[in-house]
Amino acid sequence: MASIDSAETGFSTDLPPEIAAEERRAPGSGPWRIALRRLRRNKVALVFGVVFVLLVALSLSAPLYAKHIAHTTPYKNRIADTITVHGQQKNIVDFDGTPIGPTWTKQYFLGADRNGRDVMVRLLYGGRTSLLIGFGASLITLVLATFFGLMAGFFGGWIDAIISRCFDVMWAFPVILLGVALGVSLNLGGITVGPLSLKGGSLWIPTIIIGISYVVYLGRPIRGQVLQLREKEFIEAARAQGLGPWRIMFSELLPNLASTLLVFFPLIVANAVLLEAALSFLGAGVQPPEPSWGVMISEGVDLLTTAPWLTIAPGLMLVLTVLSLNIFGEGVRDALDPRAKIRMEH
Amino acid sequence: MGRFIVRRIIGMILVMFAVSILTFLIFQVIPNGDPAVRMAGKNSTPTQIAAIRDTWHFNDPIYEQYVYTMKQVFTGSLISYSDQTNVWQEIKKGLPRTFALGIGAAIIWMVLGVSLGLYSAVRSGGFSDRLLTVLALIGVSMPVFWVGALMSYYLGYKFGWFPNGGYTEIAQGGFGQWIYHLILPWTALAILFVGVYSRILRSNILDTINDDYVRTARAKGISERQVLIRHVLRNSLIPIITLWGLDFGLVIGGGAVLTESVFNLQGVGQYFAEAIGRLDVPPVLEVTILGAFFIVLLNTVVDIVYALLDPRIRLGS
Amino acid sequence: MTEPILVIDHLKVDFQTDEGTVHAVDDVSLSLAPGEVLAIVGESGSGKSVTAMSLLGLNRGPNARFTGTAMYKGTELLSASNDDLRKIRGAEIAMIFQDPMTSLNPVQRIGDQIAEQILAHEKLSKAQVRDRVVELMERVGIPRAAERARSYPHEFSGGMRQRVMIALALSCSPNVLIADEPTTALDVTIQAQILERIKDLKEETGTAIILVTHDLGVVADIADRIAVMYGGRIVEQGTVDEIFYDPQHPYTWGLLGSITRVDRPRGERLPSIAGLPPSLLDPPAGCHFRARCPHEFPKCLEVPPLEDRGCGHADRCWLTVEEKRAKREVRPGEIGLANKEEVAPV
């Protein structure tokens, strides 16, 4: 209500509610259209939305860059090779193990890592991996949290009791410890459940671990919202029409959860990307030689004193990605549901 | 109150039971090689391996192994696979370090988060508010291990202002050295939370300031400062304080693993990280259970404190 | 007549919003004599609450602009510094707000909230304050006052909370009491009790009261004079008898028609005023009531002046007195706008 305005404009500038109500009565505009209009006015959020899209596009173009510009792959070691930079011949990796710094040319634009691999190429490929895991994990979170939140909130009773207790256990689990334990263990041996088989080192492993880790943070608010919605008249009406529970859940309740899900999604992706980096840093996420930003930071830290760009470059990409998602996400939240209090754990 | 605490303690026990089973199963179900083979070393005979299996109860049915292990956990006699040290003794060494890191960081992020959030709200819409918002969002977006690594490289290694990682006991180097070694880890860990807390407090204050009772308070003729402190800030702080407890639990219960590793503080988190690298199940198990214990404990404390701060909250409902 | 205690002269209040300037109050002049009860009546958005809040500076802010004057005992309230205003708030002019459920701090004890106001203006010992609080609470009819002073607002019913608000307002024996819709949020039976209490207190203390309400029925037996507001302007003011028995403005006729009356024939539809109040963002030219008025004629495109017809009974309508007599279907106390009934309300 009126506090939306004051949040933007400042201290105690609250309009009398009657006038605020007047103002809100824009003719013929549904909630989605109002949200879109608000988002369009939020230039900062839009700019960072574009930045994020660019980062995604850049990461997706990794193979093109590798093939046509850098003429290498993210895995190709050239420890003993030399290259010519501005007419000077240089070792890609020096005899003391220090890799070459940024050349700002097509090859080794951002320098090499300790195995003589092209950092720029790995950075783009790593972005692809990190974003893939971030999106994949967030989709898993979204689907599972919505499903369990809906079930628990709608059916109540023993179904709710079981799901809520599971949420309690997950809530109490030290997420990062669980992730690390699972990650290390799975990556070593892989796992086979029925027809599904994951080899150690598969990207699915961190994706699934991260996806499950965040279910409780979204599942609990969804359950709460369903509990409230369940008492509303339109659900009564749907029941009275004889609609089955599944029909009510998916065609009546789900659309009403859409704005919550939309608000949460960018923020979950941001946190998933961060958690991927953390797991990879501890050796429990993406496994080398596969590049991801977390893996690159973890490898870079060992050479921090001689080659700090190996740590700085992937870190900056990571921060930029997460920052643009956070700012865009806040814009979406302000546009859709300014009162929503959203909080995620790292 | 009494009934609530009893119920919560039962709940805590059940949750920790579930956590211990889950963690135990992770290492039993997922194939990760035979610990007996790893323990026996490269040049071992099948007889030696069989002997190890026998002494470590690896041949027992899984539930018996679980009971056996849990007994050891609670008697403090669990032994590490890889170096045969007592796990509880190792954890006891690490705990003061983890607590020193967690408590110091929690104080820093609370103080900074509240002051910046309050300042941001009072100046809301202005330049300094926008600047703080941007800084807070950047803080929230930075991975702690990356910040920590850069800090210890630039401030520690390159400029030499701070020690390059490590921990000094108060008994050894005195209070000054202890703080000196912890400043960087505290800061690195606190950055994220300062961002989160200042943003939440800011939005709480801006919500509260439009509440009717704040208008009532103004109409009483008390000063704006009193309105702000007694009504706006006091009411906006309640959710922040409960959050503080939860986050402290998370940090102590494993959240500090990255910070400890980056700064080489040798706390419980780092002990965990090193143990998992060796696939040393007992330390992993015990640290995880301990972490869950702190998280659940702080959750309960937070609920009680919340009820004390806000008379509308009834315990147990 | 005695010297008025409060004189509002050409008060204008504008709020800057994203959509444009909201002209919430447009040229309002009012005066209040000591011990008098002045009712300001109008629908939501008419500017009546904004007028009341402006007197205590409760809606000040960077986006609000006030022009005109409001003189209270030699102090001009609109331009007074916050410090000067603070001494008046609570001590000289006190206010009761609309919603007792939200107007008290939920985490502070009732007694402390009353004591806070007393201590802001008077130097008293703890015991003295406690006694005064209990005495005040007893005076507004709260049973077991000493004990209940230690309760929190959520332990009180709506009616009891509004009594607390009255006790709070009276705690420093103010000269003027502003009651902003004091009964709107309450049950009908409680409404009567609260009004009765306000009336008694007025008789006991001689406090002048400004009663802001949308319900003409509420003011009939408590007010001395009535000012009817519409679209930010006063459209008619006069004594209670003048307004009820000789209403001049077509809007007042509408308001009087929509009072629920026991003596109305059963089954008859309650007359209502068709259409919506004007947008204060972009108010129509001329008379604000024009769009909803059944008697509109070309002259109404000019703003009618608030014309005094002698003895303080004034109205803002271009119709002549004779035309008005002819057009309102005279039945004192029950006047509808029958000829615009077929226009369906939006």
Side-chain angles (χ1 to χ4, degrees):
Chain A
M1 278 220 345
S3 53
I4 302 164
D5 311 36
S6 56
E8 286 162 6
T9 50
F11 218 46
S12 163
T13 57
D14 204 10
L15 287 180
E18 47 206 57
I19 292 175
E22 193 75 41
E23 202 192 8
R24 270 181 304 146
R25 215 182 290 142
S29 40
W32 293 104
R33 188 165 296 177
I34 293 176
L36 205 63
R37 213 180 55 195
R38 281 208 206 115
L39 186 59
R40 228 183 277 151
R41 256 194 313 202
N42 190 342
K43 294 282 179 281
V44 180
L46 285 187
V47 166
F48 277 92
V50 171
V51 168
F52 179 71
V53 171
L54 284 178
L55 283 168
V56 173
L58 217 62
S59 300
L60 289 180
S61 66
L64 293 175
Y65 178 87
K67 197 170 170 200
H68 297 291
I69 299 177
H71 303 292
T72 182
T73 70
Y75 313 110
K76 192 169 175 194
N77 291 352
R78 290 175 68 186
I79 299 185
D81 270 357
T82 57
I83 55 158
T84 316
V85 186
H86 304 306
Q88 269 184 305
Q89 201 165 34
K90 283 183 174 170
N91 286 329
I92 292 173
V93 181
D94 227 327
F95 300 115
D96 64 358
T98 307
I100 191 169
T103 63
W104 312 118
T105 60
K106 284 182 178 176
Q107 284 192 332
Y108 294 104
F109 183 76
L110 286 178
D113 67 5
R114 85 159 103 207
N115 292 325
R117 295 176 294 202
D118 189 319
V119 171
M120 184 65 192
V121 171
R122 281 180 68 79
L123 200 62
L124 296 181
Y125 270 96
R128 221 168 58 142
T129 315
S130 293
L131 288 168
L132 205 66
I133 293 178
F135 267 106
S138 305
L139 281 176
I140 292 176
T141 304
L142 201 68
V143 170
L144 290 182
T146 310
F147 180 75
F148 287 115
L150 264 176
M151 293 272 288
F154 184 76
F155 287 114
W158 61 270
I159 296 182
D160 182 28
I162 290 176
I163 294 175
S164 290
R165 289 300 83 74
C166 288
F167 280 175
D168 285 350
V169 172
M170 284 172 78
W171 189 264
F173 233 113
V175 169
I176 192 130
L177 299 191
L178 175 70
V180 170
L182 266 175
V184 167
S185 176
L186 281 172
N187 273 319
L188 211 80
I191 191 171
T192 306
V193 181
L196 288 171
S197 160
L198 291 177
K199 279 207 200 75
S202 159
L203 290 186
W204 279 105
I205 292 172
T207 309
I208 292 173
I209 292 175
I210 297 168
I212 292 175
S213 298
Y214 284 133
V215 165
V216 58
Y217 295 104
L218 183 58
R220 275 192 169 178
I222 286 184
R223 172 180 170 272
Q225 213 182 342
V226 172
L227 280 179
Q228 283 178 358
L229 284 173
R230 198 174 61 166
E231 308 301 322
K232 292 268 164 70
E233 284 82 359
F234 72 98
I235 299 299
E236 290 284 310
R239 279 219 184 87
Q241 279 173 35
L243 295 188
W246 295 99
R247 185 76 189 279
I248 293 177
M249 269 198 271
F250 288 98
S251 61
E252 304 289 326
L253 286 172
L254 198 54
N256 281 286
L257 296 173
S259 74
T260 308
L261 299 179
L262 213 61
V263 165
F264 261 106
F265 193 69
L267 304 179
I268 296 179
V269 177
N271 282 281
V273 171
L274 277 180
L275 186 56
E276 181 276 317
L279 289 182
S280 301
F281 180 78
L282 291 172
V286 176
Q287 299 299 303
E290 194 65 42
S292 90
W293 290 334
V295 168
M296 291 177 74
I297 294 175
S298 149
E299 290 171 349
V301 165
D302 294 338
L303 291 180
L304 194 55
T305 49
T306 50
W309 65 89
L310 292 182
T311 307
I312 296 174
L316 280 181
M317 290 295 278
L318 190 62
V319 173
L320 195 59
T321 306
V322 176
L323 182 66
S324 56
L325 272 170
N326 274 333
I327 294 181
F328 181 70
E330 289 223 351
V332 172
R333 184 196 62 188
D334 287 346
L336 270 175
D337 186 7
R339 295 220 140 216
K341 294 255 159 63
I342 286 171
R343 175 176 158 63
M344 300 280 305
E345 307 291 337
H346 287 248
Chain B
M1 187 72 146
R3 263 187 63 190
F4 170 79
I5 292 177
V6 170
R7 259 181 53 194
R8 283 310 283 263
I9 290 174
I10 294 172
M12 279 166 72
I13 293 169
L14 288 178
V15 165
M16 282 169 57
F17 179 62
V19 167
S20 66
I21 289 187
L22 261 171
T23 317
F24 190 78
L25 283 181
I26 286 173
F27 290 93
Q28 294 294 333
V29 172
I30 300 166
N32 51 35
D34 190 339
V37 177
R38 281 201 302 274
M39 285 159 78
K42 274 188 184 147
N43 306 315
S44 51
T45 59
T47 344
Q48 282 172 321
I49 294 174
I52 290 175
R53 280 218 180 93
D54 214 42
T55 28
W56 291 80
H57 298 260
F58 290 153
N59 290 329
D60 294 356
I62 196 163
Y63 64 90
E64 270 178 32
Q65 283 191 47
Y66 172 79
V67 173
Y68 172 73
T69 313
M70 281 304 126
K71 226 184 256 165
Q72 286 184 309
V73 167
F74 285 102
T75 52
S77 54
L78 198 64
I79 301 293
S80 147
Y81 290 167
S82 59
D83 50 12
Q84 270 83 53
T85 49
N86 182 297
V87 174
W88 177 237
Q89 293 305 324
E90 295 294 314
I91 289 179
K92 260 199 336 209
K93 261 188 249 167
L95 268 181
R97 296 157 179 245
T98 301
F99 269 96
L101 172 67
I103 293 174
I107 292 172
I108 292 176
W109 87 58
M110 188 65 170
V111 171
L112 278 183
V114 168
S115 359
L116 294 181
L118 180 63
Y119 183 79
S120 216
V122 173
R123 293 262 182 281
S124 107
F127 174 76
S128 44
D129 173 39
R130 272 170 220 204
L131 187 71
L132 282 175
T133 301
V134 172
L135 288 180
L137 279 170
I138 293 177
V140 170
S141 307
M142 290 194 296
V144 60
F145 54 91
W146 184 69
V147 178
L150 291 188
M151 273 178 148
S152 72
Y153 170 62
Y154 281 104
L155 303 178
Y157 174 81
K158 211 162 177 188
F159 302 139
W161 296 343
F162 292 97
N164 201 356
Y167 179 87
T168 309
E169 309 267 353
I170 298 182
Q172 239 171 45
F175 195 62
Q177 278 297 315
W178 178 76
I179 289 193
Y180 188 47
H181 277 81
L182 277 169
I183 288 180
L184 287 187
W186 281 339
T187 315
L189 184 55
I191 285 178
L192 154 76
F193 293 103
V194 171
V196 175
Y197 280 47
S198 63
R199 305 267 307 143
I200 295 182
L201 185 67
R202 176 187 180 276
S203 84
N204 279 357
I205 288 180
L206 291 179
D207 279 354
T208 311
I209 213 149
N210 290 314
D211 278 347
D212 288 350
Y213 61 81
V214 174
R215 193 180 54 189
T216 308
R218 277 209 186 95
K220 286 178 184 175
I222 56 178
S223 71
E224 190 60 32
R225 196 190 157 77
Q226 286 172 318
V227 172
L228 209 58
I229 292 173
R230 273 193 229 155
H231 296 273
V232 179
L233 191 59
R234 189 191 180 283
N235 291 40
S236 311
L237 271 179
I238 294 174
I240 296 281
I241 290 170
T242 63
L243 204 58
W244 194 39
L246 295 178
D247 282 337
F248 180 68
L250 279 175
V251 165
I252 297 295
V257 52
L258 291 159
T259 318
E260 285 178 12
S261 302
V262 168
F263 289 102
N264 191 28
L265 293 177
Q266 306 285 341
V268 180
Q270 195 176 354
Y271 178 53
F272 173 91
E274 284 164 6
I276 191 81
R278 299 188 303 258
L279 280 173
D280 195 352
V281 180
V284 171
L285 191 67
E286 192 157 326
V287 174
T288 309
I289 294 174
L290 193 68
F293 169 72
F294 282 124
I295 292 175
V296 183
L297 180 73
L298 264 298
N299 265 304
T300 309
V301 172
V302 158
D303 282 347
I304 294 171
V305 171
Y306 195 18
L308 291 178
L309 290 176
D310 190 337
R312 286 169 297 180
I313 305 296
R314 286 262 176 76
L315 284 179
S317 55
Chain C
M1 223 169 111
T2 45
E3 189 71 13
I5 190 169
L6 177 70
V7 179
I8 305 170
D9 205 26
H10 299 291
L11 172 67
K12 272 191 187 193
V13 185
D14 294 337
F15 294 103
Q16 301 293 334
T17 69
D18 289 348
E19 328 275 323
T21 306
V22 175
H23 306 280
V25 177
D26 185 6
D27 198 16
V28 162
S29 301
L30 284 168
S31 73
L32 182 71
E36 183 186 34
V37 178
L38 168 70
I40 304 180
V41 181
E43 13 184 20
S44 30
S46 64
K48 56 191 195 305
S49 288
V50 178
T51 305
M53 301 269 191
S54 306
L55 296 178
L56 284 180
L58 293 178
N59 46 12
R60 284 185 179 183
N63 298 336
R65 216 183 64 223
F66 304 87
T67 54
T69 58
M71 293 299 292
Y72 169 81
K73 281 193 170 176
T75 310
E76 205 286 291
L77 298 173
L78 300 177
S79 60
S81 71
N82 280 329
D83 271 348
D84 289 343
L85 212 50
R86 214 175 66 219
K87 286 174 200 134
I88 291 174
R89 287 174 179 170
E92 307 265 338
I93 304 177
M95 193 150 179
I96 301 171
F97 297 97
Q98 172 168 4
D99 191 350
M101 306 309 275
T102 56
S103 293
L104 290 166
N105 191 337
V107 302
Q108 220 179 17
R109 294 180 200 279
I110 295 287
D112 294 346
Q113 301 197 38
I114 301 176
E116 188 179 29
Q117 163 150 327
I118 299 171
L119 285 169
H121 300 289
E122 291 169 50
K123 281 209 179 345
L124 293 176
S125 73
K126 258 189 172 173
Q128 283 172 307
V129 173
R130 197 172 335 116
D131 291 347
R132 173 92 76 88
V133 167
V134 172
E135 182 215 311
L136 281 163
M137 287 174 67
E138 275 165 356
R139 215 164 97 199
V140 294
I142 297 172
R144 292 181 292 122
E147 182 188 324
R148 306 232 57 188
R150 292 188 51 74
S151 308
Y152 289 96
H154 71 276
E155 294 161 325
F156 276 55
S157 68
M160 279 299 156
R161 282 191 224 188
Q162 198 60 305
R163 283 165 198 257
V164 172
M165 287 300 291
I166 297 174
L168 182 67
L170 293 176
S171 61
C172 295
S173 316
N175 292 320
V176 178
L177 178 67
I178 302 172
D180 186 5
E181 306 253 12
T183 59
T184 308
L186 304 175
D187 289 348
V188 184
T189 45
I190 311 288
Q191 278 186 16
Q193 288 175 17
I194 294 287
L195 280 176
E196 203 56 37
R197 187 58 58 178
I198 293 178
K199 220 165 82 182
D200 291 350
L201 292 167
K202 174 207 145 192
E203 250 120 69
E204 286 166 31
T205 59
T207 305
I209 297 176
I210 297 179
L211 179 64
V212 177
T213 178
H214 66 274
D215 187 355
L216 256 182
V218 161
V219 304
D221 61 335
I222 179 171
D224 299 311
R225 279 191 309 126
I226 295 176
V228 180
M229 284 190 73
Y230 186 82
R233 294 177 184 150
I234 293 180
V235 293
E236 181 166 3
Q237 64 173 320
T239 62
V240 173
D241 285 352
E242 284 163 346
I243 299 289
F244 273 84
Y245 295 101
D246 188 21
Q248 296 295 310
H249 198 280
Y251 176 64
T252 315
W253 307 344
L255 275 185
L256 285 166
S258 52
I259 299 176
T260 330
R261 293 175 60 98
V262 193
D263 58 352
R264 184 188 299 280
R266 293 192 92 192
E268 188 179 299
R269 241 181 92 195
L270 204 58
S272 61
I273 309 176
L276 286 171
S279 159
L280 296 176
L281 254 175
D282 183 21
C287 174
H288 282 171
F289 190 56
R290 188 162 51 90
R292 297 166 79 186
C293 183
H295 316 294
E296 184 204 353
F297 65 112
K299 182 93 173 151
C300 298
L301 279 167
E302 291 166 44
V303 180
L306 188 63
E307 206 176 317
D308 198 330
R309 312 202 177 271
C311 356
H313 188 187
D315 69 281
R316 249 184 222 277
C317 184
W318 286 117
L319 296 172
T320 61
V321 180
E322 293 71 36
E323 283 170 326
K324 287 172 187 160
R325 291 251 157 81
K327 289 195 170 166
R328 71 180 192 215
E329 299 132 48
V330 188
R331 248 227 290 152
E334 192 184 331
I335 300 145
L337 294 172
N339 25 4
K340 250 200 177 172
E341 280 265 74
E342 55 276 1
V343 183
V346 182

